[in-house]
Amino acid sequence: MKLAIIGSGKIVQDFLTITKDLPQIELEAIVGTKRSKETLEELQKKYGIKNCFTDYEQCLREDTFDTVYVAVPNHLHFSFTKKALLAGKNVICEKPFTTDYQQFLELKHLAESKQKILLEAITNQYLENYLEIKKQLSSLGEIKLIECNYSQYSSRYDAFKNGEIAPAFDAQKGGGALMDLNIYNVHFVVGLLGKPLEVYYFPHMEKEVDTSGILVLQYKEYQAVCIAAKNSDAPVRSVIQGENRSIVVDSPANVLTSFGIYQKNQLLETISANSHAHRMYQEFAMFDQMIQSKDFFAMQKQLKHSETVMWVIDQAKLSTKSRN
């Protein structure tokens, strides 16, 4: 994969730390704004990135790379991904894919018409521990309940209360607890159980944005509860309760360091199957394989999952509006 990276924020800087372990990924370019040029040049030098741009459209005219990694603020995902697809590039887009379901569908259809690979960067779907949880589900007996909690007091919350609205707290820019943290829980649940029958969201609203909230996914025989907060802290964990056994993940739903299998509240086994310590390694290793082999079957499988997640997000927002 010959890669152009769009953005220079925390997620990009985190990703770049593992590129030494992914020699099959060639870092052809990094793109950002003029005000971030100094950061771009520092990253270019540190990680041996070949080119640096402050003009996205100029970068897209280059033929030195085949894939774009879109890691800009949420509300820009749609436009940046669309431009890359129209320019004939494969795209890896950070979560959440888009800010609404219709935007996602447009990108999906565009990728299909252009015969380009389009993927969402969502770590848990590729982690070996998550794949192992899928295998273990049948051993739990009949599933009764899933609870996921990703609550983390945001470093920007105090500034938000004082009137400084960062994108992470701006509903018009895809901010809020649902889109920022609860999205990981939704991916976790949907990847295991598929599309729910009904969706209900109960947010705590401040300055017209959800700073925390409880999402309920109703399935035929069971429920899943997804909790996320940017205004408070709590132990971060996911629990799958079956009639015979349960699975407990004592780490964020996007990290899945390990998980325990319990019976009658007694730990039977701890499983830690991840092959790399960094959560982003496995997804990018898989992205490279799909892009190099032009594996459109695998892409369609992942897009179907992402589509269900975006549908859930849309239904959550609609459920909130219907009560107001």
Side-chain angles (χ1 to χ4, degrees), residues 169 171 175-179 201 203-206 208-213 230:
F169 281 98
L178 177 65
M179 299 294 280
Y201 188 47
H204 175 77
M205 303 295 291
E206 299 178 63
E208 300 183 348
V209 72
D210 60 320
T211 54
S212 59
K230 295 166 69 67

Side-chain angles (χ1 to χ4, degrees), residues 250-283:
D250 284 317
S251 60
N254 63 324
V255 178
L256 299 176
T257 307
S258 63
F259 65 93
I261 300 176
Y262 289 77
Q263 187 171 41
K264 299 186 184 303
N265 289 324
Q266 297 296 314
L267 178 63
L268 300 179
E269 182 181 7
T270 298
I271 295 176
S272 181
N274 290 348
S275 59
H276 195 282
H278 199 288
R279 70 193 187 286
M280 297 177 75
Y281 173 85
Q282 192 60 31
E283 64 173 348

Side-chain angles (χ1 to χ4, degrees), residues 174-219:
L178 177 65
M179 299 294 280
D180 186 24
L181 296 178
N182 226 348
I183 192 85
Y184 294 119
N185 295 332
V186 176
H187 275 283
F188 181 90
V189 172
V190 167
L192 297 176
L193 306 181
K195 188 175 183 178
L197 299 175
E198 298 179 63
V199 178
Y200 305 96
Y201 188 47
F202 304 94
H204 175 77
M205 303 295 291
E206 299 178 63
K207 297 183 174 69
E208 300 183 348
V209 72
D210 60 320
T211 54
S212 59
I214 298 172
L215 180 70
V216 179
L217 307 182
Q218 179 69 53
Y219 290 85

Side-chain angles (χ1 to χ4, degrees), residues 276-293:
H276 195 282
H278 199 288
R279 70 193 187 286
M280 297 177 75
Y281 173 85
Q282 192 60 31
E283 64 173 348
F284 273 88
M286 292 300 296
F287 294 157
D288 178 71
Q289 289 182 27
M290 282 188 265
I291 288 167
Q292 293 304 321
S293 63

Side-chain angles (χ1 to χ4, degrees), residues 135-248:
K135 293 178 185 177
Q136 294 289 339
L137 276 185
S138 61
S139 71
L140 306 184
E142 187 176 331
I143 301 298
K144 298 297 185 181
L145 185 69
I146 294 184
E147 173 203 354
C148 302
N149 191 327
Y150 199 154
S151 294
Q152 181 176 281
Y153 194 96
S154 173
S155 60
R156 299 182 179 92
Y157 182 58
D158 290 338
F160 168 76
K161 289 191 294 182
N162 291 326
E164 298 177 31
I165 313 298
F169 281 98
D170 189 337
Q172 301 304 312
K173 295 183 177 179
L178 177 65
M179 299 294 280
D180 186 24
L181 296 178
N182 226 348
I183 192 85
Y184 294 119
N185 295 332
V186 176
H187 275 283
F188 181 90
V189 172
V190 167
L192 297 176
L193 306 181
K195 188 175 183 178
L197 299 175
E198 298 179 63
V199 178
Y200 305 96
Y201 188 47
F202 304 94
H204 175 77
M205 303 295 291
E206 299 178 63
K207 297 183 174 69
E208 300 183 348
V209 72
D210 60 320
T211 54
S212 59
I214 298 172
L215 180 70
V216 179
L217 307 182
Q218 179 69 53
Y219 290 85
K220 185 176 181 180
E221 303 292 343
Y222 38 80
Q223 296 80 36
V225 179
C226 299
I227 302 168
K230 295 166 69 67
N231 57 8
S232 56
D233 280 318
V236 177
R237 70 173 192 168
S238 299
V239 181
I240 307 169
Q241 296 174 208
E243 192 170 14
N244 301 325
R245 294 180 176 182
S246 61
I247 286 176
V248 179

Side-chain angles (χ1 to χ4, degrees), residues 1-6 15 23-31 50-51 53 56 59-70 80-93 111 114-119 284 286-296 299:
M1 183 199 312
K2 295 180 182 294
L3 189 65
I5 301 167
I6 318 303
F15 162 66
Q24 67 272 37
I25 298 179
E26 300 178 40
L27 302 179
E28 295 292 335
I30 187 167
V31 185
K50 295 177 184 177
N51 293 292
F53 295 88
Y56 182 47
C59 176
L60 288 177
R61 290 193 289 269
E62 298 291 320
D63 59 5
T64 55
F65 59 92
D66 53 50
T67 304
V68 168
Y69 171 36
V70 175
F80 275 62
T81 298
K82 183 175 181 178
K83 286 180 180 179
L85 290 171
L86 288 171
K89 309 297 185 182
N90 304 304
V91 181
I92 299 163
C93 181
K114 292 284 187 179
Q115 283 291 286
K116 294 298 173 184
I117 297 289
L118 173 64
L119 297 160
F284 273 88
M286 292 300 296
F287 294 157
D288 178 71
Q289 289 182 27
M290 282 188 265
I291 288 167
Q292 293 304 321
S293 63
K294 297 183 179 179
D295 191 343
F296 290 101
M299 179 192 81

